[in-house]
């Protein structure tokens, strides 16, 4: 279960010349999914609160976002590992608790959009979301299928053109791309609202073949109760 974590720890401890320059910060962004498996006598609220306290106490790891899935014992983090060999603060705690953990390298959607030729900056997306907001987590997987690379890239480009217009109109949200070639996987977080649902329907006219998974989340900083309405 922690083989991937060991690999990341090894990578983070390599010399800077191997990892790349300080400008290549996207290589140190990670999505971390933590699931609390069923266990007799488990106090889910206490465990989630302990994860929250541990995350808040990390050094040399910047927590960009931290969420709790509503109705399920799952935590999702987006981390910027700012200093080499800083993983053990988190991994030692998680392994000792016996949680199920999946770690995925990611990078900013705005960087991906620029690769496609869309002039987007990182500050167009939200760097934080309010603690007390109802949040929507979206996972989108776009398949190439019968499209050529050029056709696929053009459809993704036009999707980000529409996204840019919506963001410039005031819609808030955060977006990251999984660091893998294909299929293209995007994850995004935004406040739940009728306008956001409508916006997602408008944006998702990218490549015709795609999967969408939506989950209600709450900001981990706001988590305090075991039972959520």
């Amino acid at each position: 279960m922690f083989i991937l974590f060991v690999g990341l720890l090894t990578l983070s401890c390599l010399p800077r010349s191997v990892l790349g320059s300080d400008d290549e910060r996207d290589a140190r962004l990670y999505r971390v999914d933590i699931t609390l498996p069923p266990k007799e006598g488990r106090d889910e609220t206490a465990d989630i609160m302990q994860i929250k306290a541990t995350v808040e106490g990390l050094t040399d790891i910047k927590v960009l976002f931290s969420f709790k899935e509503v109705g399920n014992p799952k935590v999702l983090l987006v981390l910027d590992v700012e200093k080499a060999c800083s993983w053990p603060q988190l991994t030692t705690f998680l392994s000792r608790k016996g949680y199920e953990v999946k770690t995925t390298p990611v990078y900013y959607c705005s960087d991906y959009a620029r690769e496609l030729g869309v002039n987007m900056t990182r500050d167009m997306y939200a760097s934080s979301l309010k603690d007390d907001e109802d949040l929507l987590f979206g996972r989108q997987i776009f398949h190439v299928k019968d499209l050529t690379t050029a056709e696929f890239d053009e459809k993704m480009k036009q999707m980000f053109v529409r996204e840019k217009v919506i963001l410039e109109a005031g819609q808030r949200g955060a977006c990251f791309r999984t660091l893998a070639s294909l299929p293209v996987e995007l994850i995004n977080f935004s406040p739940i609202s009728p306008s956001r649902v409508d916006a997602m329907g408008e944006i998702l006219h990218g490549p015709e073949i795609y999967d969408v998974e939506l989950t209600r989340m709450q900001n981990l900083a706001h988590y305090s109760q075991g039972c959520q309405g």
Side-chain angles (χ1 to χ4, degrees), residues 16-35:
R16 188 68 64 185
S17 60
V18 176
L19 286 174
S21 69
D22 288 336
D23 292 335
E24 296 174 4
R25 294 179 59 79
D26 291 344
R28 299 196 296 272
L29 293 183
Y30 299 95
R31 166 187 171 179
V32 180
D33 295 88
I34 305 169
T35 302

Side-chain angles (χ1 to χ4, degrees), residues 162-189:
R162 292 188 292 272
E163 171 82 336
K164 180 180 179 181
V165 171
I166 291 171
L167 292 172
E168 289 177 334
Q171 179 66 55
R172 294 181 301 111
C175 180
F176 299 88
R177 177 186 168 177
T178 296
L179 191 62
S181 297
L182 294 172
V184 171
E185 178 179 352
L186 306 181
I187 60 171
N188 58 75
F189 315 95

Side-chain angles (χ1 to χ4, degrees), residues 24-82:
E24 296 174 4
R25 294 179 59 79
D26 291 344
R28 299 196 296 272
L29 293 183
Y30 299 95
R31 166 187 171 179
V32 180
D33 295 88
I34 305 169
T35 302
L36 282 63
K39 181 179 179 181
E40 184 176 356
R42 179 186 296 283
D43 185 337
E44 179 183 315
T45 298
D47 280 8
I48 297 292
M49 294 298 289
Q50 192 172 15
I51 292 175
K52 174 183 173 182
T54 300
V55 169
E56 290 174 347
L58 295 175
T59 57
D60 300 321
I61 296 179
K62 183 178 180 181
V63 181
L64 303 182
F65 295 97
S66 59
F67 303 106
K68 159 73 168 59
E69 184 174 321
V70 174
N72 289 304
K74 297 180 180 180
V75 171
L76 191 158
L77 311 173
V78 179
L79 306 177
D80 183 348
V81 182
E82 298 181 326

Side-chain angles (χ1 to χ4, degrees), residues 1-228:
M1 177 169 60
F2 283 88
I3 292 176
L4 184 53
F5 263 135
V6 173
L8 290 173
L9 178 58
T10 301
L11 177 62
S12 67
C13 294
L14 290 174
R16 188 68 64 185
S17 60
V18 176
L19 286 174
S21 69
D22 288 336
D23 292 335
E24 296 174 4
R25 294 179 59 79
D26 291 344
R28 299 196 296 272
L29 293 183
Y30 299 95
R31 166 187 171 179
V32 180
D33 295 88
I34 305 169
T35 302
L36 282 63
K39 181 179 179 181
E40 184 176 356
R42 179 186 296 283
D43 185 337
E44 179 183 315
T45 298
D47 280 8
I48 297 292
M49 294 298 289
Q50 192 172 15
I51 292 175
K52 174 183 173 182
T54 300
V55 169
E56 290 174 347
L58 295 175
T59 57
D60 300 321
I61 296 179
K62 183 178 180 181
V63 181
L64 303 182
F65 295 97
S66 59
F67 303 106
K68 159 73 168 59
E69 184 174 321
V70 174
N72 289 304
K74 297 180 180 180
V75 171
L76 191 158
L77 311 173
V78 179
L79 306 177
D80 183 348
V81 182
E82 298 181 326
K83 187 175 180 180
C85 298
S86 52
W87 275 108
Q89 303 167 80
L90 184 60
T91 57
T92 300
F93 164 75
L94 295 174
S95 62
R96 186 176 67 248
K97 299 293 288 187
Y99 300 145
E100 297 175 3
V101 181
K102 179 182 178 182
T103 303
T104 308
V106 298
Y107 69 105
Y108 293 100
C109 284
S110 52
D111 293 355
Y112 176 44
R114 286 198 301 273
E115 293 172 9
L116 296 169
V118 182
N119 184 23
M120 295 185 73
T121 57
R122 291 181 181 179
D123 60 8
M124 297 189 73
Y125 288 102
S127 59
S128 63
L129 296 169
K130 294 180 181 179
D131 292 354
D132 58 351
E133 289 180 309
D134 288 329
L135 303 172
L136 191 66
F137 166 64
R139 177 173 177 261
Q140 305 155 345
I141 299 178
F142 299 92
H143 305 279
V144 177
K145 294 298 183 179
D146 297 329
L147 298 172
T148 66
T149 300
E151 290 171 337
F152 180 84
D153 286 349
E154 180 60 26
K155 287 182 177 291
M156 295 300 293
K157 176 181 178 179
Q158 294 306 316
M159 187 185 74
F160 277 109
V161 168
R162 292 188 292 272
E163 171 82 336
K164 180 180 179 181
V165 171
I166 291 171
L167 292 172
E168 289 177 334
Q171 179 66 55
R172 294 181 301 111
C175 180
F176 299 88
R177 177 186 168 177
T178 296
L179 191 62
S181 297
L182 294 172
V184 171
E185 178 179 352
L186 306 181
I187 60 171
N188 58 75
F189 315 95
S190 62
I192 296 176
S193 67
S195 64
R196 181 55 184 173
V197 173
D198 291 343
M200 289 188 68
E202 181 179 344
I203 292 168
L204 288 175
H205 292 297
E208 285 80 357
I209 307 300
Y210 59 84
D211 301 318
V212 180
E213 177 185 323
L214 300 177
T215 306
R216 186 183 171 196
M217 310 289 281
Q218 66 178 133
N219 200 311
L220 190 61
H222 186 62
Y223 183 83
S224 61
Q225 301 294 329
C227 179
Q228 301 298 321

